[in-house]
Amino acid sequence: MDYSKSGNPKGARRAPRGPDHAQKGAPKSTTPPRETKEELLARLKAAAKKDPKA
């Protein structure tokens, strides 16, 4: 039996990507700004005051 013919067919190796993949002039995606340590501590303390069962 020829086992190389069994299973799913292999995809194209150098298939062109979709039209919206890394177009020239496309706006860069921006990550949201990270909160500082002080902001994080303030948020955690406020959450601890709200939830007394923790």
Side-chain angles (χ1 to χ4, degrees), residues 32-52:
R34 293 183 62 173
E35 60 185 344
T36 63
K37 190 172 184 178
E38 292 80 23
E39 291 171 345
L40 173 67
L41 289 174
R43 184 171 56 88
L44 290 176
K45 286 178 184 177
K49 286 182 182 177
K50 278 187 179 178
D51 193 17

